[in-house]
Amino acid sequence: MRRIIFATGNKGKLREAAGILGPEYELLTPEDFGITEDIPETGETLAENSLQKARYVYERTGLDCFADDTGLEVDCLDGAPGVHSARYASDGHDFDANIAKLLKEMSLKGPDAPRSARFRCVVTLILSGEVFQFDGRMEGSIAAERVGTKGFGYDPVFLPAGQTRTLAETGEEMKNRISHRGQSLRAMAAFLENRK
Ligand code: ITT
């Protein structure tokens, strides 16, 4: 059993990480160490923000930890919302408002605009003070409207490549197999396995 802190305040990410990493891992959260404030994310890239979140928790606990920074890149919006995905519509991590803004901005591009998009994820692991990063991505497209109730964030409008159902319809097991987070966390787990 490996105990490690996942430096996140996002319960959806935490649930997925537990499913991806399996029972070999006990995931602690910043809350378990009295860190309840929003961890600052002021970088200009996913890699910078991911490192910033992991460092924040490592500096306060001295324990091994990892963080996940994820962005949704939409081609017809020149890669937006990208690194600003959490605060696209407002400052408050409001999923519904973020999706509403995304669909509105895309409709302004006209009916023929490409709907292709991808999630990118950078996981930063701090292990005995050393930093390692793992990338993952999932290609797909943005649906015309929200469908499904599972998952979190932009899942109700994300159609993985080659699929006709959104991530919020298919649910976590399928998502974890193909997702950006699944790829980066499995890469991290393989790395940790090799270090044993
Ligand atoms: P932490 O920083 O506390 O981990 P966060 O929600 O702020 O949580 P990010 O900065 O990585 O995380 O957020 C990017 C945004 O994209 C945020 O609104 C998420 O809800 C959303 N998001 C991240 N991963 C997603 C996924 O797998 N499916 C759908 N939306 C996702």
Side-chain angles (χ1 to χ4, degrees):
M1 171 76 85
R2 192 184 270 275
R3 293 184 102 197
I4 190 161
I5 309 171
F6 184 8
T8 186
N10 181 320
K11 297 278 182 274
K13 285 186 183 179
L14 183 66
R15 208 177 45 240
E16 287 184 8
I20 293 162
L21 294 170
E24 267 298 288
Y25 284 77
E26 182 186 353
L27 298 182
L28 306 173
T29 63
E31 252 185 348
D32 295 329
F33 297 85
I35 303 169
T36 52
E37 65 276 19
D38 248 359
I39 300 177
E41 297 181 48
T42 54
E44 276 164 28
T45 63
L46 298 177
E48 282 168 25
N49 281 341
S50 179
L51 175 61
Q52 193 177 14
K53 289 187 274 193
R55 273 225 170 103
Y56 189 93
V57 170
Y58 179 70
E59 279 166 4
R60 284 159 183 76
T61 62
L63 299 173
D64 293 345
C65 64
F66 67 93
D68 159 324
D69 203 56
T70 295
L72 175 67
E73 292 177 358
V74 178
D75 290 332
C76 73
L77 301 178
D78 300 320
V83 72
H84 305 294
S85 293
R87 296 174 182 79
Y88 189 40
S90 69
D91 222 20
H93 288 77
D94 182 337
F95 296 157
D96 205 53
N98 284 342
I99 291 179
K101 177 165 178 184
L102 180 70
L103 295 178
K104 171 138 190 278
E105 294 293 326
M106 289 182 75
S107 73
L108 296 174
K109 298 287 171 185
D112 297 328
R115 303 193 70 83
S116 51
R118 71 205 52 77
F119 279 111
R120 269 186 213 282
C121 170
V122 179
V123 164
T124 300
L125 167 69
I126 303 188
L127 191 66
S128 308
E130 264 191 279
V131 173
F132 305 92
Q133 292 195 310
F134 307 90
D135 296 340
R137 64 141 85 174
M138 173 165 52
E139 296 289 336
S141 61
I142 304 300
E145 55 183 23
R146 298 169 179 79
V147 191
T149 54
K150 298 172 187 159
F152 67 96
Y154 296 93
D155 284 347
V157 290
F158 193 86
L159 292 160
Q163 305 213 12
T164 53
R165 298 196 302 160
T166 67
L167 290 174
E169 285 182 280
T170 51
E172 202 165 294
E173 216 179 280
M174 197 288 280
K175 179 179 175 186
N176 286 347
R177 275 204 298 273
I178 60 170
S179 77
H180 45 298
R181 182 161 301 108
Q183 288 169 24
S184 29
L185 289 181
R186 278 190 293 273
M188 180 184 84
F191 171 83
L192 285 169
E193 191 57 36
N194 278 330
R195 299 265 297 195
K196 266 186 187 163

